[in-house]
Amino acid sequence: MVKTGRPGGERSLIESIRRRAAGRDTRRGSTSEVRLGIGDDCALIRPRAGEELAITTDFTLENVHFRRDWHPPESVGHRCLARGLSDLAAMGARPVAALLSLAVPRELTLASGKTRSWVDRFLDGFLALAAEHRVTLIGGDTAQSAASGPGNEGLVHADVVLLGGVKRGRALLRSGASAGDILYVTASPATAQGAARGKPTYPAATAAADRGGLGGSAAELLALRHDPQAFQRLIRTAPDHPHLYPHPRVAAGIALLRLATAAIDLSDGLSTDLGHLCEESRLSAELDAIPIHPLARHAETAGITPSALDLALHGGEDYELLFTASSGTAIPAKIAGVAIHRIGEMKPRRRGVPMLRVRDRGRLVPLQPKGWEHFTS
């Protein structure tokens, strides 16, 4: 992070972030790998013996990944870090440190009376999730974002780089699956209490025995579009808000190192991310049982979406783990407290046969990837 600027400007903002990120000792990280945090031109990382670094980066862009008039700042900060944590989880990596580069309009750095600044609240969400996963914020950059047009203020742009540690040569890859491997997905249910908080927009979930599923994030986004004000008080992480406060499956990913053959996180939607796994492993896949999140089911019941299954297949931003394991490997019903669902099987790639197929009323039909993709019309 740059260290120049007038008092009350960028330098003041950076010093505030530095204090919040590292407590009293702003030169040292909270983990043994971080030798030096915010304050110099570079941070210093010392990997543990026998480990290699896993590194990932993700943009969070206003009006692409969030809307300031829909998402509380705490949710934006939480989601900004959760995206990278989910990438680390997919490779079985243990989170170590993060770099945050943040470009915002000047007005978002200013408090007004008793109202804290947007940036302070963003950091509340970011640093709360960082503390939960023992991630040290070790640096980054700050800038004032340019106006997006005449008379318009700038937009928020955040980029997070995450570093993790994984045993040398043991990281889970998308390319590790074999024909005959079984496909699984992590997904835990919403609770009746949590779903009831969504009552302004969809009925409360009552299926206490439901083991959870996919599509919850897409369903909550639909509800958020319908009534953004109903969600403005959700300023702290909550297990039953999979869009606003997703929970990356870090512990499950680490546990999968001894069980899985390949893995990917579900950020762009099951149909799209499964396609990536198939391409890297040079295989095809057959799906036969898709777990659907209670919020997706209730969005369909309430008429908010025509198909809960479509939300589960294509909705995206579930941040669950899709993984494969040998058919001879016993996979428990839960891993690190998260429910595991068997959803299909990996098959050899055959000419003239679609790469992805899903069983529909006893018949295998082609499944087209319809999840998120940038640069499409």
Side-chain angles (χ1 to χ4, degrees):
M1 291 186 174
V2 218
K3 294 185 292 181
T4 58
R6 67 185 185 280
E10 183 182 22
R11 186 171 184 175
S12 175
L13 172 61
I14 292 170
E15 188 57 34
S16 171
I17 295 173
R18 175 177 170 176
R19 287 195 304 271
R20 293 193 61 182
R24 293 180 182 176
D25 187 354
T26 59
R27 300 282 291 173
R28 295 176 61 84
S30 60
T31 63
S32 59
E33 295 100 316
V34 179
R35 287 191 54 223
L36 187 66
I38 299 171
D40 271 82
D41 292 305
C42 297
L44 296 176
I45 300 291
R46 180 193 294 123
R48 288 183 184 177
E51 286 193 342
E52 51 195 356
L53 289 177
I55 304 171
T56 185
T57 184
D58 274 294
F59 275 126
T60 293
L61 307 176
E62 185 174 355
N63 296 339
V64 176
H65 300 103
F66 75 96
R67 282 184 49 165
R68 212 186 307 166
D69 55 341
W70 290 4
H71 295 79
E74 295 83 357
S75 167
V76 180
H78 177 107
R79 285 164 47 83
C80 185
L81 182 59
R83 291 159 58 84
L85 286 173
S86 188
D87 286 336
L88 293 182
M91 301 194 78
R94 172 183 52 82
V96 173
L99 296 105
L100 169 65
S101 294
L102 190 61
V104 295
R106 180 175 180 273
E107 55 268 28
L108 296 193
T109 69
L110 305 175
S112 176
K114 294 182 179 181
T115 303
R116 299 169 68 237
S117 74
W118 189 95
V119 168
D120 274 336
R121 294 179 58 192
F122 169 94
L123 288 169
D124 285 347
F126 185 99
L127 293 174
L129 188 61
E132 180 182 336
H133 291 281
R134 295 181 55 79
V135 175
T136 302
L137 180 59
I138 59 172
D141 200 4
T142 57
Q144 180 173 334
S145 59
S148 57
N152 293 330
E153 63 179 13
L155 299 177
V156 174
H157 307 279
D159 181 36
V160 172
V161 176
L162 267 165
L163 295 87
V166 63
K167 289 184 179 179
R168 195 168 296 163
R170 294 282 306 280
L172 291 170
L173 308 178
R174 299 177 182 182
S175 58
S178 299
D181 281 359
I182 307 302
L183 268 167
Y184 299 90
V185 70
T186 64
S188 285
T191 66
Q193 178 184 4
R197 284 198 287 268
K199 208 170 181 178
T201 45
Y202 38 67
T206 56
D210 194 313
R211 293 179 59 237
L214 306 177
S217 177
E220 185 170 47
L221 178 59
L222 290 175
L224 186 63
R225 286 175 176 166
H226 180 72
D227 187 4
Q229 291 306 310
F231 295 85
Q232 292 309 300
R233 293 185 180 181
L234 294 172
I235 61 173
R236 291 181 178 84
T237 181
D240 301 317
H241 290 280
H243 175 75
L244 291 173
Y245 295 99
H247 288 264
R249 305 305 189 184
V250 173
I254 294 171
L256 285 173
L257 284 174
R258 58 185 177 82
L259 297 170
T261 54
I264 187 172
D265 83 311
L266 294 181
S267 54
D268 297 329
L270 174 60
S271 62
T272 294
D273 290 319
L274 176 56
H276 296 327
L277 191 148
C278 286
E279 287 166 356
E280 293 301 319
S281 289
R282 299 181 181 179
L283 297 170
S284 63
E286 294 180 2
L287 299 177
D288 44 45
I290 310 301
I292 299 176
H293 195 283
L295 296 184
R297 293 189 185 278
H298 290 291
E300 180 180 322
T301 301
I304 297 174
T305 182
S307 172
L309 179 60
D310 278 357
L311 295 185
L313 286 171
H314 314 299
E317 292 195 319
D318 284 306
Y319 297 113
E320 299 289 352
L321 298 181
L322 175 69
F323 67 95
T324 60
S326 167
S327 58
T329 300
I331 301 296
K334 287 188 176 183
I335 295 176
V338 180
I340 306 298
H341 306 255
R342 183 196 187 282
I343 63 169
E345 186 175 343
M346 302 301 290
K347 298 289 186 178
R349 186 80 66 87
R350 288 187 294 165
R351 187 185 300 272
V353 176
M355 184 173 67
L356 304 179
R357 293 189 294 172
V358 61
R359 196 168 297 280
D360 181 19
R361 288 170 285 192
R363 295 175 57 250
L364 283 171
V365 298
L367 174 63
Q368 297 297 325
K370 296 179 183 178
W372 175 258
E373 186 177 349
H374 288 279
F375 308 115
T376 57
S377 56

